[in-house]
Amino acid sequence: MKLAFIDIETTGLTVGYHQIIEIAIIREIDGKLDVYCTKIKPNDIKRADARALEINQYNETEWVDAPYDYEVVDEIANRLKGCTLIGHNVQFDHEFIEDLCWRHKVKLECKHRMVDTITLAHEHLYFIPSHALSAILVCFGMSKDGSHRALMDAYNMRTVYYKLLRASAIRRLWWRVRYQIKKTLS
């Protein structure tokens, strides 16, 4: 099975209007990792949502040498070919990637099966008030450093996926007890 852990950062939330400005794809094929990450220079920064740029830590200096979307769309589509996509709110990422490919007439041939780590979190971490990736990291005692950068979020999400994938009832109980103790002490 070919898995692709994906994360994107965008200039806003509206597919077809806003753009991907950073993408990370961590492919796992036969137990081996293949990592791809690139910033993408926005075609029309004036359309960007200021809050999205702030969250994603966009600055012109870091993106000055970044390729445009048409320069990386083939690479993205090739890396996702035949893969099951895994992401935190994976439908959001998929829709932006699909739109990117559609605009540049590149066929996206990833598997239609997707795994959303938010769904796994709802099932196994029902006791935490938020299922944002940062909240899950806190629950697991993981660092949030580097959050809202595609590569770090993809690595963190991959770790979360494997923690949640086949969590036993005892493991879930331990997470809940530990979370309640931390909450009481803080």
Side-chain angles (χ1 to χ4, degrees):
M1 179 187 272
K2 290 170 58 175
L3 304 177
F5 298 89
I6 60 171
D7 188 69
I8 63 170
E9 305 303 334
T10 64
T11 60
L13 301 176
T14 307
V15 176
Y17 184 77
H18 293 116
Q19 295 178 271
I20 299 171
I21 56 171
E22 189 174 27
I23 185 169
I25 301 168
I26 302 173
R27 287 190 312 176
E28 191 170 313
I29 304 168
D30 299 326
K32 294 181 181 156
L33 296 185
D34 174 58
V35 179
Y36 173 77
C37 184
T38 187
K39 290 174 177 48
I40 300 172
K41 190 177 292 193
N43 295 325
D44 189 357
I45 197 66
K46 292 177 186 147
R47 289 180 156 194
D49 178 276
R51 181 71 179 129
L53 295 180
E54 180 184 336
I55 289 169
N56 298 326
Q57 303 163 41
Y58 174 83
N59 65 67
E60 286 184 27
T61 305
E62 255 188 88
W63 268 259
V64 72
D65 293 327
Y68 286 100
D69 57 4
Y70 67 87
E71 296 175 288
V72 294
V73 66
D74 287 318
E75 179 74 20
I76 292 167
N78 286 334
R79 287 181 174 274
L80 296 178
K81 187 174 185 173
C83 291
T84 296
L85 304 184
I86 302 171
H88 206 69
N89 192 11
V90 70
Q91 189 63 39
F92 176 83
D93 296 335
H94 180 259
E95 287 176 5
F96 267 91
I97 293 167
E98 201 170 49
D99 179 68
L100 170 68
C101 290
W102 178 81
R103 282 186 290 112
H104 295 289
K105 296 174 180 43
V106 172
K107 189 171 184 177
L108 182 61
E109 298 179 82
C110 55
K111 291 193 175 179
H112 292 285
R113 180 171 178 235
M114 293 183 264
V115 179
D116 195 333
T117 53
I118 291 177
T119 301
L120 291 173
H122 277 287
E123 181 180 338
H124 298 298
L125 303 174
Y126 57 89
F127 51 87
I128 65 175
S130 168
H131 292 104
L133 185 56
S134 59
I136 295 169
L137 295 177
V138 168
C139 178
F140 285 143
M142 296 169 61
S143 173
K144 295 187 306 181
D145 291 347
S147 290
H148 293 291
R149 293 311 288 262
L151 187 57
M152 183 56 71
D153 284 352
Y155 272 118
N156 285 335
M157 184 261 307
R158 181 177 175 271
T159 300
V160 165
Y161 170 77
Y162 280 113
K163 282 183 176 287
L164 296 175
L165 182 60
R166 291 189 176 96
S168 67
I170 291 171
R171 174 63 59 191
R172 291 191 309 255
L173 177 61
W174 167 243
W175 290 334
R176 184 176 181 189
V177 168
R178 189 177 66 191
Y179 178 79
Q180 294 296 354
I181 290 170
K182 282 183 187 178
K183 190 175 165 184
T184 303
L185 295 176
S186 59

